[in-house]
Amino acid sequence: MDWHPQSWRDKPVAQPVHYPDQEHLKNVLDKIAKLPPLVTPSEIERLRFQLDLVQQNKAFLLHAGDCAESFDACTHENISAKIGLILSFSLILIWGARLPVVRIGRIAGQYAKPRSSPKEKVGDREVLSFRGDNVNGLDYNERIPDPERLLRAYYCSATTLNYVRALLTSGFASLHHPSDWSLSHVRSPSLRREFESIVASLSDALDFSRTIGVAESGSGRSFEQGGRRGTVGEVEFYTSHEGLMLDYEQSLTRLLPMHSSSKQSYYNTSAHFLWIGDRTRQLDGAHVEYFRGIRNPIGIKVGPSMESEELVRLLDIVNPDKESGRITLITRYGAGKIDNYLSGHIAVVKQSGHPVAWICDPMHGNTLTSSQGLKTRHFGTIMSELTSCLRIHAECNSTLNGVSLEFTGEFNDEGFSVTECLGGSMELSEEQLGLRYQSFCDPRLNFEQSLDVAFLVSNYLKKQRRGEHTGELFDMFSELGGHLQKSSN
């Protein structure tokens, strides 16, 4: 294959960052290139194996976390809250679907963000756009791109990943104690009741297993993890970010032996899973060129501007051998547009013979501005795209294999969640958005709203598993105690 980690430099780069001091940038990149990998080939291969199961409908994919991480949020409280929410969400899915859940966090590297314009207005001043903490600062006096931020991004990613691994091997993820996963601050009685019901049933099941002498690991029904079996006290967890900063990604691309093989491949060791954004998927562009050569499983954002022929050509470029477990398509059309595009994309991918996992991102196509000028999303609109996605896949004899969400488990000292998205079972209004609006990027679902989504999807999967008529998903959600507000759109 006519590819090497630098071959992207011969292609046009979308969303470029212009550093005033190129020598400084080179010195920083040289340092990063000598630093240890953040993830290993064996972990990446294990994820590819599990994503193959997702494509076969033998597992469900949860891709979730912050829209963009900040260096200041690299604290043990925030990291614990994120992991706790991801574990709570996945437990609800497992209970309803009776399928393993592959957990990929938007964490330990999601520090960059694309922008529609290179400049923006801050007050009465025009400044360079904020591109994420690994490029420049949110303060308008720190908008000049600084290469040292790439180095800080590496160390914050390493610190975060180290703490996540420590949490998941220390009993934090034990299914014997799921109530420890930050549920104490959930204000909705119905959500708390539903979750506690699952916890009680799970505890009974575990007690029964111990009584009859079933071991906690090595069960024939356990989730095969690419040659590794899990236990009820330990879960697999993978990291991801948008592969936007190609200089940084190249510095962490290493030629390494493939797991259990004498062959070598190029692995991006900055994360297990990377995705190509909607703004950087040009067929002749630098990002597609870079992504086609790495061994990691990759995601591709698919929106209304993606032509059907373009999608198939893109798949041919990044996965010419049609390898399973390699490609995840992340659809993000918007609630008002999904009916116009998704079925066509499903049809051409089926016809092409490319194996893919289909997951729904109901967040990015449904952003609006509140009357107070805050960027927000309405829970009802998010649910509308998600339920339409489930319906269209069923109509096309296809399966939705997962969800991609922007959510946060953060809460303040008084135990209140963030207030960035409207609606949900807590019925958050526009007047309440400013109470605890903490995102410097896109609005995120808070803990309660995230569990609202988890119960909706779980109940749908449960009915699907039982062969029951799924009916109107909004009605099913209402049965769980949620109260959807009508979308303001």
Side-chain angles (χ1 to χ4, degrees), residues 193-421:
R193 209 162 36 242
E194 290 292 336
F195 191 83
E196 288 174 347
S197 173
I198 289 177
V199 170
S201 298
L202 179 61
S203 296
D204 285 346
L206 291 172
D207 287 343
F208 177 75
S209 297
R210 283 194 299 269
T211 300
I212 63 173
V214 176
E216 291 187 356
S217 62
S219 167
R221 295 179 59 83
S222 64
F223 186 21
E224 289 284 359
Q225 298 167 345
R228 174 181 173 181
R229 293 178 183 271
T231 73
V232 296
E234 183 180 340
V235 300
E236 290 278 60
F237 184 87
Y238 303 98
T239 63
S240 73
H241 60 259
E242 181 177 355
L244 191 61
M245 306 289 294
L246 293 180
D247 286 312
Y248 179 81
E249 305 302 343
Q250 178 190 318
S251 295
L252 284 163
T253 302
R254 314 285 167 81
L255 182 63
L256 297 170
M258 295 175 63
H259 183 56
S260 302
S261 171
S262 60
K263 296 181 180 179
Q264 290 186 316
S265 285
Y266 281 103
Y267 291 90
N268 182 312
T269 64
S270 70
H272 303 101
F273 178 91
L274 296 99
W275 73 87
I276 306 174
D278 201 46
R279 294 184 175 99
T280 56
R281 53 172 171 73
Q282 296 82 6
L283 297 179
D284 60 349
H287 288 81
V288 170
E289 171 63 21
Y290 171 78
F291 270 78
R292 77 180 179 94
I294 58 174
R295 173 74 183 166
N296 305 59
I298 63 174
I300 299 172
K301 287 293 186 85
V302 180
S305 61
M306 176 76 85
E307 299 289 342
S308 295
E309 180 186 353
E310 178 190 7
L311 175 55
V312 174
R313 288 176 61 197
L314 180 54
L315 292 173
D316 287 339
I317 293 170
V318 296
N319 193 20
D321 297 328
K322 298 182 178 178
E323 298 177 8
S324 60
R326 163 77 169 156
I327 303 296
T328 297
L329 297 181
I330 309 170
T331 61
R332 33 91 70 224
Y333 303 102
K337 297 179 180 180
I338 185 171
D339 279 283
N340 299 329
Y341 296 98
L342 177 57
S343 59
H345 285 152
I346 292 172
V348 295
V349 172
K350 273 187 175 182
Q351 187 175 12
S352 73
H354 276 283
V356 302
W358 290 96
I359 71 173
C360 176
D361 168 7
M363 309 291 292
H364 281 90
N366 296 304
T367 304
L368 55 92
T369 303
S370 74
S371 58
Q372 302 166 326
L374 291 172
K375 201 175 184 182
T376 188
R377 290 158 173 155
H378 199 290
F379 186 82
T381 313
I382 292 169
M383 287 298 97
S384 177
E385 176 158 4
L386 180 54
T387 54
S388 294
C389 195
L390 288 163
R391 170 180 53 79
I392 293 168
H393 273 287
E395 292 171 352
C396 295
N397 196 27
S398 176
T399 303
L400 181 65
N401 303 120
V403 292
S404 179
L405 301 169
E406 290 183 342
F407 65 37
T408 179
E410 294 176 28
F411 54 98
N412 64 12
D413 294 338
E414 288 74 41
F416 289 98
S417 300
V418 302
T419 54
E420 296 171 2
C421 290

Side-chain angles (χ1 to χ4, degrees), residues 149 163 209 468 482:
R149 287 177 170 271
Y163 186 57
S209 297
E468 299 175 14

Side-chain angles (χ1 to χ4, degrees), residues 5-54:
Q6 301 84 23
S7 60
W8 64 269
R9 295 182 181 276
D10 298 326
K11 304 283 186 177
V13 180
Q15 296 285 315
V17 175
H18 301 290
Y19 291 92
D21 189 340
Q22 288 294 310
E23 188 63 27
H24 188 187
L25 174 63
K26 181 180 181 303
N27 291 338
V28 167
L29 294 173
D30 287 345
K31 287 181 183 177
I32 294 173
K34 296 173 183 176
L35 291 169
L38 295 175
V39 300
T40 66
S42 61
E43 293 170 337
I44 293 169
E45 293 297 334
R46 202 151 58 238
L47 176 58
R48 281 188 60 135
F49 176 86
Q50 293 184 9
L51 289 176
D52 179 25
L53 296 181
V54 170

Side-chain angles (χ1 to χ4, degrees), residues 37-39 64-66 68-71 73-74 79 82-83 86 104-112 134 152-165 237-242 248-249 252 268-275:
L38 295 175
V39 300
D66 279 317
E69 295 175 277
S70 71
F71 294 155
C74 184
I79 296 169
K82 284 182 195 177
I83 301 303
I86 289 173
I104 303 179
R106 297 170 57 111
I107 193 173
Q110 179 58 8
Y111 292 111
N134 66 351
R152 189 175 177 189
Y154 172 89
Y155 285 117
C156 283
S157 298
T159 301
T160 300
L161 187 53
N162 179 66
Y163 186 57
V164 168
R165 285 173 168 151
F237 184 87
Y238 303 98
T239 63
S240 73
H241 60 259
E242 181 177 355
Y248 179 81
E249 305 302 343
L252 284 163
N268 182 312
T269 64
S270 70
H272 303 101
F273 178 91
L274 296 99
W275 73 87

